[in-house]
Amino acid sequence: MPSSSATAPLAPIPGFRRLLTGRTLSVLATCLIPTALTLAVIHATGSAADLGLVLACELIPQLVLLPIGGVLADRRPPQRVAFAADLVRGLVQLVIGVELLTGSVNIVHLSVLSVITGSAVAIGTPTVSPLVTAVVPPEARLRANSLLGTARGVALVAGPGIVGVLVVTLGVGWSFVLTSALFLVAATTLGGLKVARHERPVGHSTFMTDLAEGWQVVRSHRWFWTNLVGHGISNLTAGVLMTLGPLIAVRELGGDTSWVITYQCGMVGMLLGAYLAPRLPIPRPLVATALGGAVFALPLLTFAVPAPTAVNAAAYFVAMLGLGVLNTVWQTVMQQRFEPHTLARADSYDALLSFAARPLGLALAAPIAATTGNAAVLVVAAVLVGVSSLGLLALREVRTMGFITPEEPAPGSVAVPETADDH
């Protein structure tokens, strides 16, 4: 990637500030939901089974509807789809907050509202890349994805703490009201983006035809679907670490503090990786993403020993730094290599594997470890993520593909906005 991409000015790009603000608010609001929802169930029934039901009601629609969300974001202007998704989520959080404040919440209501929330997540998630390509020119997208990734990382770190403060000071009901307000502001911010008319190829196509075409697009790019498999395995092993890591830290490494230190070091690494991605010399982006995925084997191996907290924290820092670089570079490659009218559908399959694989890792790790021991599960997970990531380097297109430079024609070339709107 040309070095100028790291310093390409983004503020003068019409709409980017609005895009960054809207996405940051939306991600922050999303990060507030899990902790607040857990507390809402505890207030309603206090049942672990009810909590599992509510969380499943939010996750399952995401897995089912993500490809449909990709079709919608490719068929319709992505800013309108993003507006609708965040508006629905905002209204749902407001209803939950009002029910908690009035004492009328129950598990059936929470389950139904969680289904609606999960559906809105599935519809809104594939709009991110189309919005980036609609606003940001190709030569500035790596830098834009870096800023968006850094903002997302800050939201992930800050979200649980914000919920904790709100619950202590205002109560769990008001935390949902605030979450609702964040979604509603995000909806109006993203919905107000002024971008060019959403162009589609000439000719009529049905919704089902577009859905089938999305799968064909994914299958037609070997470099893409093989990376998706690698990312899915990476997310699976991340779920394993998120299950067994805290257990090992608490039982064998001195308690909660050990895991908190390790986890926070990882979050710092992820933020740093997103920040550094456009500043690093990366001539072969898919080689960089493969290496970024492979380093996640490090904390899996150190926890298998288990190593001292300082070693685990350092390993997790490196792993998450690699993930921060991977996410930023990968999004940029996708946005450069897919036609604008197919990008959301491709992105939806990327999100689908991520959404499905991590919960699977969370669910399988403890039962298997109860039979084989923690170390065996962690070592197998480390081998899986290392082999699947480095194995991508066997593909010629992975080893040779570069970023598209400003001089090259790009499938995802940005359209000229109708009007400048960056307020």
Side-chain angles (χ1 to χ4, degrees), residues 128-221:
V128 180
S129 282
L131 285 174
V132 172
T133 59
V135 172
V136 183
E139 67 273 10
R141 287 177 193 160
L142 183 59
R143 176 68 169 158
N145 288 319
S146 171
L147 289 176
L148 289 166
T150 301
R152 179 178 180 274
V154 171
L156 288 171
V157 173
I162 292 174
V163 171
V165 171
L166 289 173
V167 170
V168 170
T169 58
L170 300 177
V172 65
W174 284 109
S175 73
F176 276 98
V177 173
L178 176 61
T179 302
S180 170
L182 291 174
F183 274 127
L184 294 177
V185 174
T188 56
T189 303
L190 293 174
L193 278 168
K194 303 295 184 181
V195 299
R197 181 181 178 86
H198 192 69
E199 298 293 342
R200 287 173 51 80
V202 177
H204 176 72
S205 65
T206 66
F207 189 94
M208 295 306 297
T209 300
D210 284 352
L211 184 63
E213 183 188 42
W215 176 241
Q216 292 300 321
V217 167
V218 170
R219 290 182 58 192
S220 66
H221 295 281

Side-chain angles (χ1 to χ4, degrees), residues 35-325:
T35 302
L37 194 59
T38 299
L39 294 172
V41 174
I42 291 174
H43 278 71
T45 69
S47 166
D50 287 343
L51 177 59
L53 172 64
V54 169
L55 295 177
C57 284
E58 184 176 356
L59 176 63
I60 292 173
Q62 295 177 38
L63 302 181
V64 173
L65 298 178
L66 264 168
I68 293 175
V71 175
L72 286 173
D74 277 337
R75 290 178 68 91
R76 306 298 302 168
Q79 72 273 23
R80 295 182 186 175
V81 179
F83 169 81
D86 279 350
L87 177 63
V88 168
R89 289 201 282 175
L91 294 176
V92 168
Q93 305 315 304
L94 181 60
V95 171
I96 296 175
V98 170
E99 289 195 350
L100 284 167
L101 292 172
T102 59
S104 59
V105 68
N106 62 62
I107 197 65
V108 175
H109 289 175
L110 283 177
S111 298
V112 172
L113 293 169
S114 293
V115 169
I116 298 172
T117 298
S119 301
V121 171
I123 300 305
T125 296
T127 65
V128 180
S129 282
L131 285 174
V132 172
T133 59
V135 172
V136 183
E139 67 273 10
R141 287 177 193 160
L142 183 59
R143 176 68 169 158
N145 288 319
S146 171
L147 289 176
L148 289 166
T150 301
R152 179 178 180 274
V154 171
L156 288 171
V157 173
I162 292 174
V163 171
V165 171
L166 289 173
V167 170
V168 170
T169 58
L170 300 177
V172 65
W174 284 109
S175 73
F176 276 98
V177 173
L178 176 61
T179 302
S180 170
L182 291 174
F183 274 127
L184 294 177
V185 174
T188 56
T189 303
L190 293 174
L193 278 168
K194 303 295 184 181
V195 299
R197 181 181 178 86
H198 192 69
E199 298 293 342
R200 287 173 51 80
V202 177
H204 176 72
S205 65
T206 66
F207 189 94
M208 295 306 297
T209 300
D210 284 352
L211 184 63
E213 183 188 42
W215 176 241
Q216 292 300 321
V217 167
V218 170
R219 290 182 58 192
S220 66
H221 295 281
R222 186 173 66 164
W223 65 267
F224 183 68
W225 68 259
T226 52
N227 270 275
L228 292 194
V229 172
H231 297 169
I233 293 173
S234 179
N235 277 280
L236 176 73
T237 59
V240 171
L241 183 62
M242 289 299 101
T243 300
L244 299 183
L247 293 175
I248 293 170
V250 170
R251 294 174 181 174
E252 303 181 44
L253 300 174
D256 296 348
T257 302
S258 174
W259 176 249
V260 170
I261 291 172
T262 300
Y263 183 79
Q264 292 303 323
C265 285
M267 293 302 98
V268 172
M270 182 178 64
L271 287 171
L272 184 60
Y275 173 80
L276 290 177
R279 295 164 173 82
L280 296 173
I282 303 179
R284 296 290 178 262
L286 294 184
V287 172
T289 60
L291 296 176
V295 294
F296 202 84
L298 294 177
L300 292 164
L301 293 173
T302 62
F303 270 99
V305 175
T309 296
V311 176
N312 291 330
Y316 196 46
F317 172 86
V318 173
M320 295 302 284
L321 186 148
L323 181 63
V325 173

